Amino acid sequence: SSGINAEYGLNSLLESIEPGKMPNKCHSLKASSYCIQGLAALVEGRMKDAKSKLRETLVMANKADLNKLTSCAFVLLGDIFLKMDNNRDAIEMVRSAHDIANRIPDVALQVWSAQLLSSLYEKTGDEARAQEYETVRQRISETSRNDVELTVNSPEHCLLQWLDSEFPPSSMSMV
């Protein structure tokens, strides 16, 4: 019963965000709705529909200069092409995503695209490029972990915990 309700809820949500129901001038909403529709199609295994919706995402996202959404759509299209054993197009899509992720910059998209590129190049037998992107992924991940550690150990971070206790003495210099 709860599975039926969840499916009904998802279908109801997908109908409510149908791209045709979005305001004509709101490219960001249309791009987002196409992306969600494409992701749902991908999860359901409807690759042709997913590919079509994600391509529309790219068109609309480019009109609205939505780089993060464009990059996500490229990665998802790359994944679809990978599942269809179209490695050349998969690499092209994911490299585009990686370039955008580096330009904006977005660490999560950089790691995601680098991991997928490493796997794609390994699958095609290009061990040098596979290792190159694995090294990129490891470097970005390590930098991200170090940034989190520095942030957690900074005096400013103690202020986040102040709400549950006494004012941290180490933060007095910031007042």
Side-chain angles (χ1 to χ4, degrees):
S1 174
S2 67
I4 293 170
N5 288 338
E7 188 174 328
Y8 173 78
L10 175 61
N11 288 335
S12 176
L13 174 66
L14 290 172
E15 287 173 15
S16 72
I17 57 170
E18 184 66 38
K21 294 180 180 178
M22 298 295 137
N24 280 339
K25 294 186 186 236
C26 195
H27 296 299
S28 59
L29 277 177
K30 278 192 172 190
S32 299
S33 64
Y34 275 117
C35 188
I36 292 167
Q37 297 277 329
L39 189 55
L42 178 64
V43 168
E44 293 171 359
R46 296 180 290 119
M47 296 302 165
K48 189 174 183 178
D49 192 31
K51 195 166 53 168
S52 171
K53 298 286 187 188
L54 290 169
R55 283 185 171 151
E56 277 301 315
T57 300
L58 290 174
V59 170
M60 300 307 290
N62 282 329
K63 285 182 182 178
D65 201 25
L66 302 170
N67 290 319
K68 189 177 283 200
L69 189 57
T70 301
S71 186
C72 284
F74 273 132
V75 171
L76 291 169
L77 280 167
D79 190 52
I80 289 170
F81 285 124
L82 174 63
K83 286 179 167 97
M84 297 169 71
D85 283 328
N86 183 344
N87 296 330
R88 185 181 58 80
D89 286 345
I91 288 171
E92 185 179 317
M93 294 291 126
V94 180
R95 280 183 37 202
S96 294
H98 191 71
D99 291 345
I100 294 168
N102 285 329
R103 193 172 61 241
I104 56 181
D106 185 298
V107 173
L109 285 169
Q110 288 171 340
V111 170
W112 187 17
S113 58
Q115 174 63 50
L116 194 50
L117 282 169
S118 178
S119 297
L120 280 163
Y121 282 123
E122 186 174 328
K123 184 178 178 184
T124 61
D126 190 340
E127 291 299 323
R129 282 202 169 143
Q131 184 55 50
E132 173 189 341
Y133 280 102
E134 177 58 23
T135 301
V136 167
R137 186 200 62 77
Q138 288 174 354
R139 180 183 45 78
I140 295 168
S141 296
E142 182 67 25
T143 300
S144 181
R145 278 192 297 277
N146 290 341
D147 287 349
V148 168
E149 189 174 321
L150 285 171
T151 301
V152 168
N153 293 324
S154 72
E156 294 83 1
H157 193 267
C158 292
L159 291 174
L160 296 175
Q161 298 165 3
W162 169 47
L163 297 174
D164 295 332
S165 63
E166 294 290 317
F167 188 76
S170 62
S171 299
M172 287 302 285
S173 64
M174 293 184 289
V175 180

